[in-house]
Amino acid sequence: MFEQLVGKLPVGIGVVDENFNVIYLNDFFLDRLPYELRQNYKETPVTELFQGEGKFLKRRLKSVFVLQHPSFSYWEQRPHIFPFKSSRPITGEETQMYQNMEILPVKDKATGKKLACIFLQDVTAQASYFRAQQKLSEALKKEHEAQRKLIRKLDTAQSQLIQAEKMASTGQLAAGIAHEINNPIGFVNANLNTLAQYASHLISICDGVYSYLENFNDELREQIEALYQSNHYDLLKDDITELIEESTDGLTRVKDIVENLKNFSLENSEGVQTVDICTVCNQLITLISAQYSVPQYKFDCELEKVEVMGNPGPLKQALMNIMINAAQAIHTKGVVKLSVRDSGDKVTIKILDSGCGIPAQNLKRVFEPFFTTKPEGQGQGLGLSVAYTAIEQHQGKISISSKEAKGTVVEISIPKQPSNASSATSEDLSIPSEALPTDTQHA
Ligand SMILES: Nc1ncnc2c1ncn2[C@@H]1O[C@H](COP(=O)(O)OP(=O)(O)OP(=O)(O)O)[C@@H](O)[C@H]1O
Ligand SMILES: [Mg+2]
């Protein structure tokens, strides 16, 4: 009865002696043997009975006999030791049986012989389920990654929208201020011109009086001379002209700045048109040197005009952001140099500064939105990411190289005639951070 029960168990049970000859197999095993072997399996070596995996089985059995310690093989490590029974229904998509196998050392009490008992469990259902789960979690992982990329793209686009908004409102503010300042500048300028003329007349009168002095009597002459001297007439005469000239120069500079402010704020929505990079650079130098007066500014261009087809607003914005960075990098003394070259179908612009430079570990991050090393409230970390997008929209390239304590060079090249100049869509807004190179030169 007991032997019958063991024989019918849905797990494989087999007993092997120290010579690796099979002593007992239950039906689970027998069903998987070729028909002719089933009758005479006893005393047959395992390698003969189970030809496919006989050698593996023998190795395991040997270790159990030598070490007198159980041995276990898991389905993941050695999945198919024995085949499915030919009549067994196929489980799901599996074509082979997954098995766990355990071999235990036992001793025959009657003879004292060392034996090994093999237990084999069909775990196809669990294995199949486990593998399906694995596939699912891999698919989920992929989806997560795709979502993360999408979120990154959205973050970038959002930050650039914030910057655009900020720039638009700054632009409006600038336009408003420029408009308000224009009127007083107008009458101060007119008054200054009149003042210059009046001063010149007054000087002529005073000089005339002085030249007639010899016609006066001594007492009167001395009194008039004393009056001229006590009021430092010679000094007043020289200084008044110089002061008026300086004021006129200063006013001209203010007028230039206001003019440029108006340019920058109004041209954002102008669309694609001819942009003269030289004019833009000159305007920028005037504008930025008024705000950051520490560096010395140099403009290097052999041509009078270098034109590209582009959107003036974003182009100026990009150059302005880079120029501001260059100016901000110089704390005591240094140079910001802008050079423009006509390189055939492209225009190359270099913005060089002799400022603090960028440490190598930061260089790979400078184009990331919100990356800033400036104190809170002084930098949003958006300047370069906005510049990157603007140059990309113009099918151009931007790269930055830097040496700490030496300075930084930002190089931009823009095609003069982009293949489809109006194709700047919202998709172009994204800056794939993984696309940015990681060495000390970044493009
Ligand atoms: N010319 C430069 N010299 C030194 N460091 C620079 C230079 N240009 C950029 N950087 C570094 O790159 C960082 C990012 O520059 P980015 O213009 O994007 O942002 P920001 O200047 O910090 O802030 P924002 O431009 O929004 O006011 C800066 O914080 C600075 O550390
Ligand atoms: Mg900046």
Side-chain angles (χ1 to χ4, degrees), residues 163 166 321-322 324-329 353 355-359 362 365-368 370-374 378-386 400 402 407-410:
Q163 174 74 352
K166 186 185 113 187
N321 291 356
I322 297 162
I324 289 176
N325 282 348
Q328 286 175 338
D353 70 72
C356 58
I358 306 169
N362 288 353
R365 300 194 56 202
V366 291
F367 289 110
E368 280 176 25
F370 297 118
F371 175 78
T372 182
T373 56
K374 291 170 190 168
Q378 284 186 31
Q380 284 192 312
L382 291 172
L384 282 181
S385 79
V386 167
I400 183 163
S402 187
T408 304
V409 185
V410 178

Side-chain angles (χ1 to χ4, degrees), residues 6 103 114 181 191 216 264 271 333 375 388 431:
V6 173
I103 305 175
K114 279 182 189 170
I181 293 177
N191 290 357
F216 292 87
F264 273 85
K333 202 173 117 194
Y388 187 98
I431 304 170

Side-chain angles (χ1 to χ4, degrees), residues 64-110:
V64 171
F65 282 125
V66 173
L67 301 173
Q68 284 297 297
H69 202 273
S71 154
F72 188 74
S73 95
Y74 188 55
W75 68 267
E76 264 191 311
Q77 158 201 6
R78 190 88 182 189
H80 317 296
I81 303 171
F82 300 105
F84 272 137
K85 183 175 152 184
S86 52
S87 60
R88 186 193 191 282
I90 303 282
T91 308
E93 290 177 352
E94 306 301 343
T95 51
Q96 296 202 67
M97 185 192 354
Y98 288 94
Q99 297 142 356
N100 288 345
M101 181 178 77
E102 189 161 12
I103 305 175
L104 299 175
V106 283
K107 214 169 209 170
D108 186 337
K109 273 189 184 155

